[in-house]
Structure formats: structure tokens, C-alpha cells
Amino acid sequence: MKLGRLNHVGVATPSIEKSISFYRDVMGAEVIREPFDLPAQGVKVCFVDTPNSQIELIEPLGESSPIHGFLAKNPAGGQHHLCYEVPDIHAAKAWFEGKGAKVLGEPRIGAHGTLIFFVHPKDMGGVLTEIMETPKGDH
Ligand SMILES: CC[C@H](C(=O)O)C(=O)SCCNC(=O)CCNC(=O)[C@H](O)C(C)(C)COP(=O)(O)OP(=O)(O)OC[C@H]1O[C@@H](n2cnc3c(N)ncnc32)[C@H](O)[C@@H]1OP(=O)(O)O
Ligand SMILES: [Co+2]
């Protein structure tokens, strides 16, 4: 597999509104996208564009959000995951499994509307890693 583009850095936050203000007022980001809910993934999401990638702000949505545990350990929030693009999500899943890495669940639709999966941080040097199929037309 060839390392693909860094699509986004996931940043967990207890308050997506406060984080939007921070990225706008302190970091000088143009936050042009409205936050949106991803109930199936248990998060509220807001993308902050950077010149060559994105910050993905994520706030827990619902009792079973997968980021409650992270925020319990990091109440102010923090860097949560990295997301890389691949041309073929199923080939990528087979690749990581072939390397003995723990893929978390089956590929499912992520915040960009394409299939994604996560690889456990224990197998990724401590970095929770999201793999995302490159949106069509972006290849
Ligand atoms: C998909 C929509 C959107 C998108 O971009 O399209 C998103 O990115 S949504 C992002 C939120 N969703 C997820 O993160 C789903 C995948 N994550 C998980 O399944 C869990 O977070 C998991 C399994 C990685 C950790 O679950 P949990 O925190 O409940 O378990 P533990 O506390 O027992 O943690 C086990 C072990 O892993 C370490 N850990 C946990 N989270 C992270 C992290 N973000 N980065 C690095 N390491 C992490 C934790 O410290 C434990 O380590 P240990 O040494 O055993 O204490
Ligand atoms: Co993500």
C-alpha cells in the first residue's frame, strides 16, 4: 500500500462551538462549514480548512459516542486521530489485516461521505488511524 494524502487531523473537543471560535479567532482559520451531526458515528463534526488539509473537530453525540472515553481522560479535548486517503478501502483493509493490525469494524460511511475504517492505536505507534476512500473525482 502507498501512503496517501493526510485528509484530516481529528481533534476531540467538549465544545465544538468554543473550538470553532478558537480556530477562527486565534488561528485565523476561515470556518466556513456549519457543524453537522453524524449520529451513526456518535459525533458532531465541523471541518476547519487549512491550506493543505483539514482539522476535523469532533464532539460527542449521544451516550454511546466512541469519544467519551477519550474526553474522560482528556477533559479539555485534544488530538484524537489522523486520517489518510486511499484509492481502494477494501484493499487497504486487507493490507492492514495482513500486517496483523486490528481494524476496528467494517468500512462505513464517514464525514466526507466515503467509506472509512479505523486501525487501533496499539498497532499504529499509539496513533488512532483512520483510513478513508478518496472521494470520487479527487483521485
Ligand atoms: C467516522 C466519522 C469521522 C470521520 O472522519 O469520518 C470520525 O473520524 S469520527 C471519530 C470518532 N470515532 C472513532 O474514534 C471510532 C474509532 N475509535 C474507537 O473505536 C475507540 O476510540 C478506541 C477503540 C480506539 C478506543 O476506545 P476507548 O477509548 O473506549 O478504549 P480505551 O480507553 O480502553 O482505550 C484503549 C487504549 O487505546 C488508547 N486510546 C484510546 N483512544 C485513543 C486515541 N484517540 N489515540 C491514541 N490512543 C488512544 C487508550 O489510551 C488505551 O490505551 P492503554 O495504554 O490501554 O490505556
Ligand atoms: Co475523522
Side-chain angles (χ1 to χ4, degrees), residues 8 10 47 56 58 81 83 111 118 130:
H8 63 264
F47 282 108
E56 179 189 70
I58 49 176
H81 64 275
C83 180
F118 287 88
E130 180 183 350

Side-chain angles (χ1 to χ4, degrees), residues 16 21 46 69 83 96 101 106:
I16 216 160
S21 303
C46 182
C83 180
F96 281 103
E106 287 303 312

Side-chain angles (χ1 to χ4, degrees), residues 8 56 66-67 70 73 80-81 110-111 116 118 121-122 126 128 130:
H8 63 264
E56 179 189 70
I67 63 172
F70 181 88
K73 292 180 185 169
H80 183 261
H81 64 275
I116 63 103
F118 287 88
K122 290 286 177 221
L128 176 59
E130 180 183 350

